[in-house]
Amino acid sequence: YVRYVAGSILVLFAAGYATVEALYPEEGSLSDLERLALSIGLSLAIVPLIGLALNYTPWGIRLGPVLTSLVLYTTAVSLVAAYRKYLHLRARLAVRSSR
């Protein structure tokens, strides 16, 4: 059961949430419900595209390559999101300190 829950979260939420955080790094830009809805919707769009890309590779669509590619995508986009949030916070602090 743990595998089903963890897999569902990875497939249905994590990739989309990382993408939403990378696209909208400001805290007040979206409400929590909008972030949740966009996360699920983007995940449902991104995961099939990753599967389609894997279909044209020698590895194919199996558990190992799909899991690896989803984890790599989520990690890479999460790093981009963290960097964009850092830049946004640094800019906000610079504006506050100049006042």
Side-chain angles (χ1 to χ4, degrees):
Y1 293 111
V2 173
R3 183 177 175 183
Y4 293 134
V5 171
S8 296
I9 290 172
L10 180 67
V11 170
L12 294 176
F13 182 72
Y17 184 75
T19 306
V20 168
E21 288 296 315
L23 292 174
Y24 301 101
E26 299 88 19
E27 289 179 22
S29 60
L30 297 173
S31 70
D32 293 339
L33 183 60
E34 289 172 331
R35 283 191 190 274
L36 176 68
L38 277 174
S39 298
I40 293 171
L42 278 175
S43 283
L44 290 174
I46 291 167
V47 171
L49 290 175
I50 291 174
L52 181 66
L54 281 174
N55 190 38
Y56 293 108
T57 65
W59 305 293
I61 303 176
R62 293 190 315 265
L63 178 62
V66 170
L67 179 64
T68 303
S69 62
L70 280 176
V71 168
L72 287 175
Y73 175 82
T74 304
T75 303
V77 176
S78 295
L79 290 172
V80 170
Y83 181 69
R84 291 200 61 203
K85 280 185 176 273
Y86 166 73
L87 291 179
H88 177 69
L89 278 171
R90 193 173 75 177
R92 272 183 47 196
L93 289 175
V95 168
R96 279 189 187 170
S97 65
S98 66
R99 289 182 184 178

